[in-house]
Amino acid sequence: MKNVLYICIGALFAVLAFGSCNDAIDIRQDYDFSLSSWYLQEQIETGETVEIRFYLDREGDYEKAEYEIGYIQMEGKGKVTDSEGVRLVNREVRPLAEVPELDRKNPVRQVFTLFYRSTSARRSELKFFVRDNFGQERELAVTFDTANDTAGE
């Protein structure tokens, strides 16, 4: 009788231990990410062009993840372009993969550069955003003061 009890307990233990195993591979696709920039000067002149180097840092690498970038001019007036002079349109998005000189050497850190040229004598405030094809979005606010900031333009 004891042997049967030990066999039943052993079988129950085996079922519990091995029954919870799952051979399915869990593939994560929607890795979190952040958007940051290299040091930016605080003040620019009207007509001056400044370089904005961005860093898109991801928690993991999923090759089918796609990103797009856009911006909103919150204050002031200006133009945002890529390194080839192609203008990004305010309040529209563009695939990040189309940005020239996008550095993809590190699969979890992409580096790219955009340029901003102020066309007004007022303070410039821009909100850049990057979103992925899983619905996640990150923002980065950029502000430039001008030496001749006036109430009107």
Side-chain angles (χ1 to χ4, degrees):
M1 185 69 172
K2 275 186 169 181
N3 288 340
V4 173
L5 183 61
Y6 289 135
I7 292 173
C8 288
I9 291 173
L12 181 62
F13 177 74
V15 168
L16 291 175
F18 298 113
S20 63
C21 292
N22 184 353
D23 290 340
I25 297 173
D26 184 25
I27 299 175
R28 186 167 176 197
Q29 300 173 350
D30 59 343
Y31 288 104
D32 194 17
F33 63 94
S34 64
L35 180 64
S36 60
S37 71
W38 182 246
Y39 167 80
L40 294 171
Q41 62 194 63
E42 294 179 11
Q43 196 167 9
I44 61 174
E45 298 292 327
T46 303
E48 180 180 359
T49 300
V50 292
E51 174 182 332
I52 307 171
R53 181 164 300 180
F54 292 94
Y55 299 94
L56 178 68
D57 291 305
R58 305 185 297 175
E59 286 185 353
D61 181 27
Y62 178 62
E63 67 181 35
K64 293 184 182 179
E66 297 174 3
Y67 298 88
E68 53 189 14
I69 185 161
Y71 80 97
I72 300 171
Q73 180 92 40
M74 306 296 288
E75 203 175 317
K77 289 186 180 179
K79 296 178 183 178
V80 176
T81 58
D82 63 26
S83 62
E84 294 179 352
V86 176
R87 186 172 178 200
L88 278 75
V89 179
N90 187 18
R91 299 183 187 272
E92 292 186 12
V93 295
R94 176 177 174 186
L96 187 60
E98 293 180 3
V99 174
E101 301 176 19
L102 175 65
D103 184 355
R104 302 177 197 203
K105 293 175 194 164
N106 183 341
V108 293
R109 175 173 249 206
Q110 294 181 320
V111 181
F112 59 99
T113 303
L114 297 175
F115 298 88
Y116 176 71
R117 181 175 184 185
S118 173
T119 59
S120 75
R122 294 183 60 198
R123 174 181 179 203
S124 296
E125 183 179 340
L126 301 103
K127 186 185 303 183
F128 289 92
F129 59 90
V130 171
R131 61 180 167 218
D132 67 9
N133 54 329
F134 300 102
Q136 299 180 95
E137 183 173 296
R138 302 295 175 264
E139 296 179 351
L140 177 68
V142 175
T143 303
F144 300 107
D145 291 321
T146 58
N148 52 353
D149 192 4
T150 60
E153 291 190 31

